[in-house]
Amino acid sequence: MSDTAMELIDVKKVIGNKDIIKGLTFNIHKGEVFGFIGPNGAGKTTTIRMMVGLMGLSGGDVRILGNSIKSDFKDAIREVGAIVENPEMYPFMTGKQNLTHYARMMPKVTKERIQEVVKLVGLEKAINEKAGKYSLGMRQRLGIAQAILHQPSVLILDEPTNGLDPAGIREIRQYIRKLAEEENVAVIISSHLLSEIELMCDRIGLIKNGEMVAIQDVNAATEQTTVVEVQLEVTPIQEAVNILTEDFGIKASGRDTLLIQAERDRIPDIIETFVKQNIRIYQVTVTTSTLEDKFFDLIGENTIE
Amino acid sequence: MSNFFQLLMNEQFKLYIRKSTWIMYILMAVLIVGVAFLSNFGVENTPTYQAAHDDDWRQTLQDDNASMQKKMEQDEMMQGAYTGQIEKNNYYLDNDIQPAPYDTWQFVMENKFLLSLVSLLTIIVAAGIVANEFKWGTIKLLLIRPITRTKILASKYVSVLLFALFTLLFVLIFSWIIGAIFFGINGMDPHIVVNQSDGYAYVSVIGQIVQGYGLQLVTLVMMATFAFMISAIFRQSSLAIGIAIFLMLSGNAIVGFFSDYNWAKYILFANTNMNQYINGSPMFDGMSLGFSITVLAVYYVIFLTVSWVFFTKRDVAGH
Ligand SMILES: Nc1ncnc2c1ncn2[C@@H]1O[C@H](COP(=O)(O)OP(=O)(O)OP(=O)(O)O)[C@@H](O)[C@H]1O
Ligand SMILES: [Mg+2]
C-alpha cells in the first residue's frame, strides 16, 4: 500500500532467553498519529529501539517507506526522526550547538531550518544556554526539535509528554496534529497514560507483555451506538429518575447527581425530554471514555497507571 | 566521504568545547614554563655554557675534564657520572668543534619526556570518546542518522589521533616559544654531540627531536588504540583509562617478569620500544625491526577489529 509509512512484520526480540517482544505486526499510515500504549515494562521502548535500528531484531522486519531497517539502514533511517526514552543532550553544549551537531549528520539541514524548528518548539529564549541547565520540559522540546530537523516522514516519540506541563502537552498535541495533517507525517507516540495522548491520536495500539492486545480507531470508539457512562446534575431528582425509567428504560443510581449508562445517541433525546418536562439541567458529563474502559478490561485495572 | 569531514568536525567540537580538555592544555603549559624556569636556574655556571660562549673554549673544556678526572680519582662512585661527559668533551676537542650554546632547540629535545603526558591525555580522550556517548545517553541520537556505525566509529578513532597530533604540536610549539624566551635561538639547525650505538657523533638537534618524539609515538598510538577498544567493549571510560595507564606504566615490568620465556617477545611492550634497534640491543633473541613491526601491526589490527565488532554489532539497550 502506498500510504503505509512504517510496517512492522512479526517483530520479535529475545534477550537472553526472555521473550521481550513476541511478534508484533502492524502498519502506520502517512498522516496518521498512532498511539502506542502499554503499562511499564510492556515493551514500548524496546520496540522503538528496534524501529530505529538501535537494537537488532531477533525475528521479523521493520520497513520504513518500504526500506528494511535491517538491510537498508541508511535509506530507512533517513526518513525517521526520533526520541528514544529520555531526550538526552550534550549538557556542555548549548541548545543551538546540539542541534547544529545533529544537523551536520544529515543531508540538507540549513541554518534557516534550525532557526525555524527552534521557533516551532518555542525555545528561542533558551537556545543559547547550555542544555545541561534545561528543565526536563525544555529538553523534551529540544528533543523534538532534533527529531524534526530533517523533515522526516516518520516521527517516533517515546513518552514525549513526560515532564511537560499541561500547557506544554497541549502545544505538543497541536503541533503533532499539524505535522500529521498538513505535512502527512506518520507519528508514533508511546505513553503509559492513555488520557494524555488519546486526544491527539487517530489510532491506538495497546501492548502488554510484548504482545499487541488491541488496535483501536479512536473515532470508531465513540460511535453513536456505544454505551457511555453519563453523570446528570438535575432537579427535581425523583422526577428525572421516573422519566428515565418510564420513557427510556434506563436505571439511574446516585443521590445528588444521577449516574446512568446509555447509548451515546440517546443523550440528546434524554436532554430534550428533560427540558420539555421542566426539569432543570445543571450539568451533563460523560465520565469515562469507552476506550479507557475497553483497555482497562484488556489489561486489568491495576496495571495501568 | 564528505560527511566524514562533518563527523570529524563534530567530534573535535565536542572535545574542545569542554573545559576538561582546556585544563589539560593549561597544565601542560604550566609544566613547560616550570621546566624552563628550573633549567634556566644556574645554567650560566656550567662549563658547557661557558665553553659555548667563550673564545677560549678549548681551555674551558680541558679544565672541566681535569677537574672531573680529579673527582673520579677521589671517589670511585663518580666514575659513571663523569666518563660520559669527559668523552663528549674529548669529542669536541678532537674534532675541534666549539659546543653549541644551550638554546630552545635543545630545550624542545629535552622535553620529549612530556610525550608520556601526551600519551596519558590521549588515553583519557580515547577512553571517553565512545564511552561518554553512552554515559550521556546521546549515543541513541547519534546512531539514528543515515550514517553507518562503522563510519561513526572511524570518525571517533581519527579524532583521537587528531587530538594526539594537536597536543604533540602544542608541546613542540609551546616548548619552542618558551625555550626561545628563556634560552634564545641558536640558528635554525644546531648540532650537538650525542652518544649513539656506534660511539659519539655530531648530530642535528632537530634530527634528535624527530627521533626522540617519534619513537614514543609508537607507545602512544598503541595504548590509545587499546584504551579505545576497552571503552568500546565496556562502554565505560574509567575502566579503560585505568587498564591502559596501568599497562603503560607496568609494561616493562611485565616483559621483565616473563623474560625467561621465549614467547615474551610477543608481548606488546617488548616491541614498543624501538630504541632497542637504534642501540643495537634487542630484548630477546630472534627479534628484529621487522619482527617488532609485524607484532605491533597484529596487535593494532586486533584492537581495531575488536572495537569495530563491539561497536557495530551490539545492541544499544537501556542501562
Ligand atoms: N537490555 C535488556 N535486558 C533484559 N531485559 C530487558 C532489557 N531491556 C528491556 N528489558 C525488559 O524488557 C521489558 C520491556 O521493557 P521496555 O523498556 O521496552 O518497556 P516500556 O514499555 O518502554 O516501559 P516503560 O513504560 O516503563 O517505559 C521489560 O520487562 C524489561 O525488563
Ligand atoms: Mg519506555
Side-chain angles (χ1 to χ4, degrees):
Chain A
M1 260 206 323
S2 65
D3 76 332
T4 301
M6 181 183 246
E7 259 181 293
L8 276 79
I9 307 159
D10 198 25
V11 170
K12 287 184 183 136
K13 184 70 189 177
V14 182
I15 300 181
N17 48 13
K18 242 173 87 188
D19 286 336
I20 309 271
I21 304 294
K22 300 162 188 162
L24 292 182
T25 303
F26 59 96
N27 290 354
I28 294 132
H29 311 297
K30 289 177 184 162
E32 172 186 54
V33 181
F34 185 88
F36 199 36
I37 303 276
N40 292 124
K44 304 180 294 288
T45 301
T46 306
T47 308
I48 287 173
R49 281 178 193 271
M50 288 192 283
M51 285 174 172
V52 297
L54 286 175
M55 279 180 149
L57 282 73
S58 306
D61 200 359
V62 173
R63 301 226 176 97
I64 296 148
L65 298 187
N67 297 311
S68 160
I69 196 81
K70 291 201 297 195
S71 53
D72 254 333
F73 175 75
K74 281 204 278 184
D75 288 328
I77 205 74
R78 188 166 289 139
E79 293 297 331
V80 177
I83 305 182
V84 183
E85 237 154 18
N86 305 312
E88 281 126 339
M89 298 287 159
Y90 298 103
F92 49 86
M93 275 155 57
T94 67
K96 183 76 156 285
Q97 286 165 341
N98 269 286
L99 291 181
T100 310
H101 172 270
Y102 293 116
R104 286 205 190 100
M105 300 183 78
M106 291 169 308
K108 287 180 277 182
V109 180
T110 60
K111 279 207 176 80
E112 291 72 40
R113 174 65 186 163
I114 297 179
Q115 215 71 50
E116 188 184 317
V117 167
V118 168
K119 228 171 120 188
L120 252 172
V121 297
L123 268 183
E124 295 113 308
K125 280 203 196 105
I127 200 64
N128 287 319
E129 274 171 40
K130 291 227 159 57
K133 290 187 187 151
Y134 282 16
S135 67
L136 182 53
M138 285 157 86
R139 268 188 287 142
Q140 204 69 261
R141 285 161 196 258
L142 191 59
I144 292 174
Q146 143 308 116
I148 59 176
L149 265 184
H150 54 302
Q151 295 171 294
S153 309
V154 176
L155 181 61
I156 303 174
L157 305 173
D158 195 5
E159 317 231 8
T161 50
N162 204 349
L164 289 182
D165 50 29
I169 293 178
R170 211 171 64 207
E171 263 175 59
I172 298 282
R173 179 191 301 153
Q174 283 164 355
Y175 178 62
I176 284 171
R177 290 278 1 146
K178 201 175 122 191
L179 267 183
E181 279 157 28
E182 290 174 17
E183 305 196 23
N184 212 22
V185 175
V187 187
I188 299 158
I189 298 186
S190 88
S191 178
H192 51 262
L193 286 177
L194 176 64
S195 54
E196 265 185 6
I197 65 165
E198 192 184 353
L199 282 171
M200 56 180 132
C201 293
D202 298 306
R203 256 190 331 150
I204 286 183
L206 181 70
I207 180 175
K208 190 192 173 190
N209 291 331
E211 283 171 304
M212 192 63 90
V213 189
I215 295 184
Q216 178 79 55
D217 267 14
V218 173
N219 291 332
T222 49
E223 267 169 25
Q224 300 302 306
T225 52
T226 45
V227 175
V228 293
E229 203 169 61
V230 189
Q231 238 179 39
L232 299 165
E233 200 183 325
V234 290
T235 50
I237 272 195
Q238 197 46 53
E239 240 170 88
V241 172
N242 292 343
I243 292 168
L244 285 169
T245 348
E246 283 158 24
D247 293 11
F248 296 94
I250 294 172
K251 257 181 74 182
S253 60
R255 232 175 285 154
D256 301 330
T257 52
L258 295 177
L259 209 58
I260 61 166
Q261 308 261 333
E263 280 125 37
R264 207 176 126 84
D265 61 352
R266 296 185 79 180
I267 298 174
D269 300 338
I270 296 173
I271 294 172
E272 201 186 329
T273 317
F274 278 179
V275 172
K276 277 188 191 145
Q277 304 278 335
N278 284 331
I279 287 179
R280 294 168 69 83
I281 306 168
Y282 294 92
Q283 204 173 312
V284 179
T285 328
V286 176
T287 52
T288 51
S289 107
T290 50
L291 200 58
E292 203 163 323
D293 269 351
K294 188 169 172 183
F295 283 174
F296 272 138
D297 290 345
L298 282 167
I299 62 175
E301 271 190 57
N302 49 348
T303 51
I304 206 164
E305 293 184 13
Chain B
M1 228 26 217
S2 68
N3 66 5
F4 191 74
F5 181 72
Q6 302 282 322
L7 292 179
L8 278 183
M9 268 179 48
N10 271 348
E11 292 305 326
Q12 293 294 310
F13 186 84
K14 283 184 275 189
L15 201 51
Y16 283 104
I17 196 157
R18 266 180 296 157
K19 279 200 197 84
S20 53
T21 312
W22 288 106
I23 291 172
M24 293 179 184
Y25 277 79
I26 290 169
L27 282 178
M28 273 187 301
V30 169
L31 195 61
I32 290 169
V33 174
V35 169
F37 193 78
L38 289 177
S39 327
N40 195 30
F41 210 66
V43 72
E44 273 104 345
N45 298 325
T46 62
T48 323
Y49 180 89
Q50 283 162 4
H53 290 84
D54 238 347
D55 282 340
D56 201 11
W57 59 270
R58 289 179 194 84
Q59 193 57 48
T60 312
L61 288 184
Q62 275 158 5
D63 290 353
D64 187 29
N65 276 357
S67 99
M68 283 192 283
Q69 206 78 47
K70 211 164 161 192
K71 280 181 198 157
M72 273 162 55
E73 278 157 22
Q74 289 165 353
D75 190 350
E76 295 270 306
M77 298 288 281
M78 302 304 282
Q79 199 96 20
Y82 289 142
T83 31
Q85 188 60 40
I86 291 173
E87 281 173 26
K88 227 184 242 184
N89 285 349
N90 284 338
Y91 187 96
Y92 282 113
L93 290 167
D94 294 349
N95 293 282
D96 202 29
I97 305 164
Q98 183 177 13
Y102 188 79
D103 74 335
T104 189
W105 294 105
Q106 291 188 47
F107 179 65
V108 172
M109 182 186 77
E110 286 175 1
N111 276 353
K112 71 178 179 201
F113 76 91
L114 282 174
L115 218 59
S116 9
L117 193 60
V118 177
S119 304
L120 195 81
L121 301 186
T122 308
I123 284 172
I124 293 173
V125 167
I129 202 159
V130 172
N132 283 341
E133 301 279 356
F134 283 90
K135 187 176 86 188
W136 296 322
T138 43
I139 189 75
K140 293 179 294 189
L141 295 182
L142 201 66
L143 296 185
I144 56 168
R145 311 290 152 184
I147 298 169
T148 59
R149 288 193 190 184
T150 304
K151 212 175 209 178
I152 288 177
L153 187 73
S155 76
K156 285 189 172 293
Y157 184 69
V158 173
S159 268
V160 171
L161 297 185
L162 279 179
F163 172 83
L165 179 69
F166 294 152
T167 313
L168 173 68
L169 286 177
F170 173 80
V171 167
L172 285 172
I173 294 170
F174 193 75
S175 290
W176 195 88
I177 292 170
I178 294 299
I181 293 169
F182 275 80
F183 313 109
I185 309 157
N186 177 33
M188 278 332 221
D189 188 21
H191 280 58
I192 52 163
V193 170
V194 295
N195 188 7
Q196 289 185 326
S197 55
D198 47 358
Y200 286 86
Y202 189 57
V203 295
S204 154
V205 176
I206 292 175
Q208 288 295 300
I209 291 173
V210 171
Q211 181 183 319
Y213 283 75
L215 290 179
Q216 293 186 72
L217 284 180
V218 177
T219 309
L220 184 153
V221 169
M222 292 308 293
M223 290 323 289
T225 310
F226 176 79
F228 188 77
M229 173 186 76
I230 298 291
S231 101
I233 297 173
F234 296 103
R235 300 171 172 184
Q236 224 249 31
S237 67
S238 45
L239 184 75
I241 294 172
I243 300 180
I245 290 177
F246 172 77
L247 287 179
M248 192 170 81
L249 296 179
S250 61
N252 286 331
I254 294 171
V255 176
F257 187 78
F258 293 111
S259 60
D260 289 345
Y261 306 96
N262 194 44
W263 53 258
K265 67 182 177 198
Y266 296 107
I267 297 174
L268 174 63
F269 303 101
N271 296 281
T272 46
N273 181 9
M274 290 293 163
N275 262 321
Q276 56 187 318
Y277 301 113
I278 291 173
N279 299 331
S281 52
M283 281 190 206
F284 294 94
D285 288 343
M287 282 179 77
S288 65
L289 186 59
F291 172 85
S292 281
I293 289 174
T294 312
V295 170
L296 289 173
V298 170
Y299 274 104
Y300 187 74
V301 170
I302 290 173
F303 291 170
L304 284 185
T305 310
V306 172
S307 314
W308 178 81
V309 168
F310 275 86
F311 189 75
T312 57
K313 304 293 179 209
R314 246 172 69 194
D315 280 352
V316 178
H319 313 297

